[in-house]
Amino acid sequence: MPALLSALFPSVSHAEAGELGGIAMAAVTFSSAVWVVLTVVVFVWFLRRLPMLKRLACTVLFFCLPALLIGGMALWEYALDGYTDRPEVTTKPLVVLGVTFPPGSQAHYDGAGGFFGWGAKRTLQSIHGPRPVLLGNVPIDGLIFIPENCCDRARAEVSAGTIVDDLPCGDTMFDLTPAGPALRSCFLAAPVTWHGKQRPAGSYVDLTAPPAAQDTK
């Protein structure tokens, strides 16, 4: 018990965890003892008129009642809680933020409500095509974090080897404008010299920040 409390609450000292563990163990022991006594009372007094087989069955059911109630409540909450990051392969073209993804694309959905996922309100979280698709004139492999960036922005995984505004971008944020996608920021997929400074692959470049601020990153 103290080890479990230390794992759940790292800021709690070992002494405090031991004390809390002792209190929790005492509470569990007391509750269990009370429930055993109640079970014996039910068996001896309340069910005394039943045949022995039914008496034993009802006593076992009464003894397991807390576990059944807790399990039922957990199952009910799980059933109504929807789902997270459920994958699905598309069977027809799907248009997302102006990008047409062909059949066979990998889409991931979150679902809210419903019953064990049936009838849940689905929200597309990300989608990746089986081949590069075009966001405006930029080849991309997929769109990610779709709800967080809808609908005037798009976060995309740019296809390997693609240069966007002289930058070899990977994970990229675009502003969606009438003239097409405008690069806002990206993580570099390859080293590049930018603003006179060598930046390694994986560096974050923000075109909305002043060059002086970029040089400090």
Side-chain angles (χ1 to χ4, degrees):
M1 183 67 74
L4 177 60
L5 290 172
S6 296
L8 293 175
F9 304 101
S11 61
V12 176
S13 67
H14 289 290
E16 292 173 331
E19 184 178 351
L20 291 174
I23 295 173
M25 185 61 68
V28 171
T29 302
F30 177 76
S31 300
S32 300
V34 170
W35 194 252
V36 169
V37 170
L38 287 176
T39 303
V40 172
V41 170
V42 167
F43 176 79
V44 172
W45 181 258
F46 291 98
L47 303 178
R48 65 184 186 277
R49 299 183 184 277
L50 293 179
M52 182 56 67
L53 189 59
K54 289 185 178 181
R55 193 176 178 187
L56 289 172
C58 291
T59 302
V60 170
L61 182 61
F62 178 81
F63 181 76
C64 297
L65 187 61
L68 294 175
L69 288 175
I70 293 173
M73 292 171 62
L75 181 61
W76 181 256
E77 182 177 352
Y78 173 77
L80 300 179
D81 202 30
Y83 51 83
T84 302
D85 199 31
R86 175 177 292 180
E88 180 180 303
V89 179
T90 61
T91 57
K92 58 183 179 181
L94 184 62
V95 179
V96 183
L97 298 179
V99 180
T100 301
F101 287 87
S105 298
Q106 289 280 344
H108 288 256
Y109 290 90
D110 281 357
F115 187 71
F116 287 105
W118 301 324
K121 181 180 179 182
R122 306 200 312 165
T123 302
L124 181 64
Q125 300 295 316
S126 65
I127 183 169
H128 292 81
R131 56 183 180 274
V133 294
L134 290 177
L135 174 63
N137 60 352
V138 180
I140 65 172
D141 293 331
L143 295 171
I144 56 178
F145 299 105
I146 294 171
E148 293 86 344
N149 299 292
C150 185
C151 290
D152 57 347
R153 291 180 185 171
R155 187 168 173 182
E157 293 180 352
V158 174
S159 300
T162 300
I163 304 298
V164 184
D165 292 353
D166 299 324
L167 293 172
C169 290
D171 182 345
T172 306
M173 183 74 76
F174 293 96
D175 286 325
L176 301 180
T177 70
L183 179 62
R184 182 180 180 87
S185 63
C186 76
F187 290 92
L188 298 176
V192 69
T193 300
W194 193 64
H195 287 302
K197 184 177 180 180
Q198 182 68 24
R199 298 185 180 274
S203 297
Y204 177 71
V205 174
D206 186 356
L207 274 69
T208 65
Q214 289 290 323
D215 291 340
T216 62
K217 295 183 179 181

